Amino acid sequence: MPNTSRRKPYGSAGGLLALGDTEPVHRLDARCPICDARSLRALPDRELVVCVNGSCQCGDDECGCHYERPRRHQWDYDEWPWLAHVLGAGLEASA
């Protein structure tokens, strides 16, 4: 399993955008390094990649993904090179 220590919780169990937001959301063709679901979304205006799987839980019991109202995992812009490396390794392994 890849090192997921760089993930951070994001938002609540609700939607990623508020009503009326027009920010583009792009579906990434890769699996989340934590839950292995095809649930990664890029929010370029916020410079975030987020896992939108409401069931995504990591092994850290203190992480926000274990809260009663779970927080989603996110990767900030400065973590994208690390995430790209992890996702690239996953894509190579599945080929």
Side-chain angles (χ1 to χ4, degrees):
M1 175 166 212
N3 176 1
T4 57
S5 63
R6 299 184 71 155
R7 63 43 198 140
K8 299 176 187 175
Y10 169 79
S12 66
L16 292 173
L17 302 173
L19 185 61
D21 275 355
T22 59
E23 177 178 2
V25 177
H26 302 280
R27 182 181 181 275
L28 301 181
D29 189 24
R31 295 188 177 276
C32 173
I34 297 171
C35 68
D36 201 38
R38 289 195 166 289
S39 56
L40 294 178
R41 303 296 184 268
L43 292 87
D45 291 352
R46 296 185 203 186
E47 297 184 337
L48 291 174
V49 171
V50 179
C51 177
V52 297
N53 179 2
S55 300
C56 182
Q57 290 191 332
C58 64
D60 180 359
D61 291 337
E62 300 297 316
C63 180
C65 70
H66 292 279
Y67 293 171
E68 184 176 328
R69 290 184 53 121
R71 298 177 64 92
R72 300 178 190 273
H73 292 112
Q74 77 175 33
W75 295 267
D76 296 312
Y77 181 76
D78 63 340
E79 298 171 307
W80 287 5
W82 173 85
L83 184 61
H85 174 75
V86 170
L87 295 177
L91 291 174
E92 290 171 10
S94 66

